[in-house]
Amino acid sequence: MNPTLEKLKTKFDQALIAAFGSDFAGVDPMLVSASNPKFGDYQSNSALSLSKQLGLPPRAIAEKIVQYIDITDICEPPVVAGPGFINFTLKPSYLEAQLNAIQADPRLGIAQTKSHQRAVVDFSSPNIAKEMHVGHLRSTIIGDCIARTLEFQGHDVLRLNHVGDWGTQFGMLIAYLREVCPEALTTANAVDLGDLVSFYRKAKQRFDEDEQFQEIARQEVVKLQAGAEDSRRAWLLLCEQSRREFQVIYELLDVKLIERGESFYNPLLPAVVEDLDKQGLVVEDAGAKCVFLEGFTNKAGDPLPLIVKKSDGGYNYATTDLAALRYRIQQDGADRIIYVTDTGQTNHFAQFFQVARRAGWIPDNVELVHVPFGLVQDSDGKKLKTRSGETVRLKDLLDEAIDRSRADLEARLKEEGRSETEEFIAHVAKVVGISAVKYADLSQNRTSNYIFSYDKMLALQGNTAPYLIYAYVRIQGISRKGDINLEKLGTNAKILLHEEEELVLAKHLLQLSEILSNVEQDLLPNRLCEYLYELSKKFNQFYDKWEVLKSQEPVRTSRLILCDLTAKTLKLGLSLLGIQVLERM
């Protein structure tokens, strides 16, 4: 929560009691940020809502509140406007004191939460023997941003990668492996299977075309589930090779996860069905064990079943998700479980959440959250695919972003007549390329589809990562040009706010705490992106109008501190998005 807003609310509550009695203690002051700077910084509409209860005109109520509210240390005298709005404008001296208090704090004055939670964030979740594609991009970076924000806010976060490493497809893969590379099932040494995606396609083609192979594949599933040593060795080989390939992507994106695949919960599945059965929730239908859902119907209008055990005795995703949910509550001690998947799985989550609640497995203190996201689309508004119609490989997408970033950088260096080392060029290209992809995604409302455009995301102007990083680079350039160590300006150096652009920038710097609280609750990273974009714009407006290095003391030092605080805020905010900054670019 914004500390300034908290102070104003406390003062407002005291004024309401003084003006109208203790019955009005705790009444919502309806304090919000002003929609237009001409109305000040904050505005209260509470007088309008209290009019009927008090039997007085809203303006009269507002004027009486203003008589009793004591905010001389925070605001200019409040102004009653229109039918009864109360407008508050923060004093420059108050803003100066707030900024001076946080300039040496690595957390920029943002307190950790008092409502500590154990949060499980389930994200990324690729499938073994399949390549990570553009569809995994959103889950991976949105989940990482949410995890980073919750960690910064002081929560205990478990980052889980619910990898698809179990199921009937492994029968097909193991059967094919037994044919083309039988030594993989008998040797303890690792065998390189080459391109796993190509291997999967060939196995699938074999499965689709040969009924005898299909039967062999089904038998391999049974053997794997029974724990046959050679089948398990083949399964482990497939998992390990996929894991290595996934890790290349995670390192490129700077994402950390703990893998706990579907196989982890396999021993827990019978107990899930047994417990549901004991509670009378299971109905046998066509040989399958189901829980019929409330509020979900098929085309005929009949209740929709959630199958928890198939007619052949196998289990499905819903059963695994129910087992994982129970484990996360009972063993991991989760207070909040967050699932980051595409909008297409919304019904799936609503359904198994419902079953878990009806079974009484969700304590009152545990919150279940599905964080849905839309599609990544091509310029024609269709799902992003290659020219051949295949899903875009995530590694190819990231590599191209880096290559394009490098080409832009090299063209700019040539135009400016600058010479840089290969190490510098490679580092900047990678940081800018990866950051551009991440920011282009995170800056969208995650529930919407968005158009993927390298040109737009790599632009130095507009709401892009390069624009934000460049604002940070400009500040570092100030310190280099003036040969100033911004960290050693001294605790006696103070911020002094006189010009309008300084005040606007100062007010925005102090809003970060409120923004992070919003992201913590709503799990919408685009709120943080919008804040950082506005911060960059406000800094550039200030810097383009006013001298920093050439200004006279004490204004020069004040502006240097203001620049430094802007840089620290940008660096912190970008780090929560999983984005690095650069000293030069």
Side-chain angles (χ1 to χ4, degrees):
M1 177 57 74
N2 184 331
T4 300
L5 203 55
E6 285 291 284
K7 290 176 186 175
L8 285 176
K9 284 183 176 180
T10 299
K11 298 282 190 180
F12 206 97
D13 193 46
Q14 293 167 353
L16 276 173
I17 294 169
F20 302 111
S22 59
D23 289 348
F24 290 87
V27 168
D28 184 0
M30 300 177 70
L31 266 168
V32 294
S33 295
S35 57
N36 189 317
K38 71 179 183 181
F39 300 132
D41 298 308
Y42 295 99
Q43 189 173 66
S44 169
N45 305 341
S46 64
L48 282 74
S49 66
L50 290 169
S51 179
K52 187 175 180 181
Q53 188 177 352
L54 287 167
L56 293 169
R59 192 173 178 90
I61 296 170
E63 288 170 348
K64 193 166 184 181
I65 292 171
V66 165
Q67 287 176 19
Y68 286 96
I69 195 163
D70 179 15
I71 50 172
T72 52
D73 58 331
I74 303 173
C75 297
E76 306 290 356
V79 175
V80 177
F85 303 119
I86 307 174
N87 298 334
F88 301 90
T89 300
L90 298 173
K91 282 184 172 181
S93 58
Y94 173 79
L95 294 167
E96 290 166 358
Q98 296 300 300
L99 292 177
N100 287 324
I102 68 172
Q103 63 166 301
D105 181 3
R107 291 185 59 86
L108 302 178
I110 301 170
Q112 290 197 343
T113 182
K114 294 176 183 176
S115 305
H116 177 90
Q117 286 186 319
R118 170 72 159 164
V120 171
V121 185
D122 177 332
F123 65 106
S124 194
S125 307
N127 291 314
I128 294 297
K130 292 185 180 180
E131 195 130 31
M132 289 182 75
H133 54 75
V134 69
H136 293 109
L137 173 69
R138 302 210 74 185
S139 177
T140 304
I141 62 177
I142 292 170
D144 181 55
C145 175
I146 288 170
R148 286 171 183 262
T149 302
L150 294 178
E151 287 161 350
F152 181 77
Q153 293 292 81
H155 298 292
D156 179 14
V157 179
L158 178 58
R159 299 157 157 262
L160 285 184
N161 197 2
H162 190 76
V163 173
D165 68 346
W166 200 251
T168 54
Q169 76 272 21
F170 281 96
M172 173 187 80
L173 293 168
I174 295 169
Y176 187 67
L177 186 62
R178 198 181 286 278
E179 281 189 358
V180 300
C181 188
E183 65 270 23
L185 286 84
T186 56
T187 180
N189 297 323
V191 177
D192 188 353
L193 300 177
D195 184 349
L196 265 186
V197 176
S198 174
F199 180 88
Y200 185 94
R201 285 180 186 147
K202 290 174 183 176
K204 184 73 167 65
Q205 183 179 359
R206 185 93 169 79
F207 184 87
D208 291 342
E209 295 173 354
D210 189 333
E211 288 187 8
Q212 186 178 357
F213 182 82
Q214 289 175 17
E215 182 54 37
I216 294 170
R218 292 188 188 100
Q219 291 171 10
E220 286 291 355
V221 174
V222 175
K223 288 164 66 177
L224 176 62
Q225 291 176 341
E229 188 176 337
D230 58 347
S231 298
R232 184 170 177 80
R233 183 179 290 116
W235 171 72
L236 286 170
L237 174 65
L238 291 162
C239 291
E240 184 55 37
Q241 186 152 334
S242 281
R243 194 175 289 119
R244 288 200 302 270
E245 293 179 11
F246 297 157
Q247 194 55 36
V248 171
I249 301 289
Y250 293 137
E251 287 178 4
L252 198 53
L253 291 172
D254 188 24
V255 172
K256 293 179 174 59
L257 285 147
I258 293 173
E259 183 181 312
R260 197 188 283 169
E262 293 171 3
S263 61
F264 179 87
Y265 305 102
N266 200 54
L268 311 177
L269 303 185
V272 168
V273 179
E274 185 181 333
D275 285 2
L276 291 172
D277 206 357
K278 282 180 182 176
Q279 296 187 58
L281 293 173
V282 172
V283 176
E284 195 158 314
D285 186 63
K289 291 191 173 183
C290 315
V291 177
F292 281 89
L293 299 160
E294 298 169 354
F296 290 91
T297 55
N298 58 23
K299 291 180 181 179
D302 298 321
L304 197 67
L306 184 75
I307 299 172
V308 292
K309 190 172 185 179
K310 295 183 284 189
S311 57
D312 63 4
Y315 302 95
N316 60 11
Y317 294 124
T319 326
T320 301
D321 281 337
L322 286 165
L325 178 57
R326 292 216 300 178
Y327 189 92
R328 291 166 184 181
I329 293 170
Q330 295 171 2
Q331 304 301 321
D332 295 327
D335 301 303
R336 193 182 193 195
I337 308 176
I338 298 165
Y339 299 84
V340 186
T341 72
D342 64 88
T343 52
Q345 296 190 49
T346 299
N347 277 350
H348 169 73
F349 283 96
Q351 289 169 1
F352 90 80
F353 285 178
Q354 181 194 123
V355 171
R357 287 194 177 95
R358 285 166 61 191
W361 295 342
I362 316 299
D364 292 342
N365 67 305
V366 174
E367 180 188 9
L368 306 181
V369 189
H370 177 221
V371 174
F373 54 81
L375 297 173
V376 182
Q377 297 178 321
D378 212 334
S379 56
D380 59 4
K382 295 179 180 177
K383 192 173 182 179
L384 189 65
K385 291 189 176 181
T386 64
R387 288 179 181 175
S388 62
E390 296 177 352
T391 304
V392 177
R393 299 190 335 162
L394 185 49
K395 182 70 166 59
D396 292 344
L397 181 144
L398 297 174
D399 285 345
E400 184 168 352
I402 295 170
D403 290 344
R404 288 185 180 227
S405 172
R406 183 184 181 108
D408 288 351
L409 174 61
E410 289 176 337
R412 187 158 47 83
L413 291 175
K414 185 176 180 181
E415 187 180 323
E416 295 171 1
R418 282 168 57 196
S419 177
E420 296 287 356
T421 65
E422 167 59 24
E423 183 182 10
F424 173 86
I425 293 171
H427 177 65
V428 171
K430 180 182 174 183
V431 169
V432 172
I434 297 298
S435 298
V437 171
K438 284 188 175 187
Y439 188 85
D441 191 304
L442 294 169
S443 61
Q444 310 295 320
N445 185 318
R446 59 171 166 74
T447 59
S448 306
N449 300 336
Y450 78 94
I451 303 294
F452 189 92
S453 166
Y454 285 113
D455 290 341
K456 187 176 178 181
M457 66 178 60
L458 287 166
L460 273 171
Q461 294 298 322
N463 190 9
T464 66
Y467 178 74
L468 271 63
I469 294 172
Y470 184 64
Y472 181 87
V473 167
R474 285 187 93 178
I475 297 170
Q476 304 315 304
I478 294 169
S479 66
R480 282 195 299 274
K481 187 176 179 181
D483 194 23
I484 297 160
N485 184 338
L486 294 173
E487 297 293 327
K488 295 183 178 179
L489 288 173
T491 55
N492 293 326
K494 300 296 180 186
I495 290 177
L496 304 168
L497 304 171
H498 299 294
E499 308 302 340
E500 180 61 25
E501 288 77 13
E502 293 175 329
L503 288 164
V504 167
L505 179 56
K507 289 171 184 177
H508 197 75
L509 286 166
L510 291 169
Q511 291 172 14
L512 180 60
S513 177
E514 185 177 0
I515 295 298
L516 294 184
S517 292
N518 290 338
V519 176
E520 176 187 351
Q521 292 306 312
D522 301 338
L523 307 176
L524 291 168
N526 63 297
R527 291 176 182 266
L528 177 57
C529 294
E530 186 61 31
Y531 168 83
L532 294 172
Y533 175 51
E534 288 297 323
L535 176 62
S536 300
K537 286 200 299 184
K538 287 173 170 56
F539 167 74
N540 285 328
Q541 288 161 1
F542 152 73
Y543 186 61
D544 290 343
K545 185 165 183 179
W546 300 105
E547 288 286 355
V548 175
L549 291 174
K550 292 181 181 179
S551 56
Q552 299 298 309
E553 292 294 358
V555 173
R556 181 177 186 268
T557 297
S558 169
R559 289 179 178 167
L560 283 169
I561 299 171
L562 195 59
C563 289
D564 186 40
L565 264 175
T566 301
K568 287 175 177 174
T569 304
L570 280 169
K571 185 175 184 178
L572 172 58
L574 288 170
S575 75
L576 298 180
L577 298 175
I579 291 174
Q580 284 182 260
V581 292
L582 294 165
E583 301 300 308
R584 296 190 301 120
M585 66 185 290

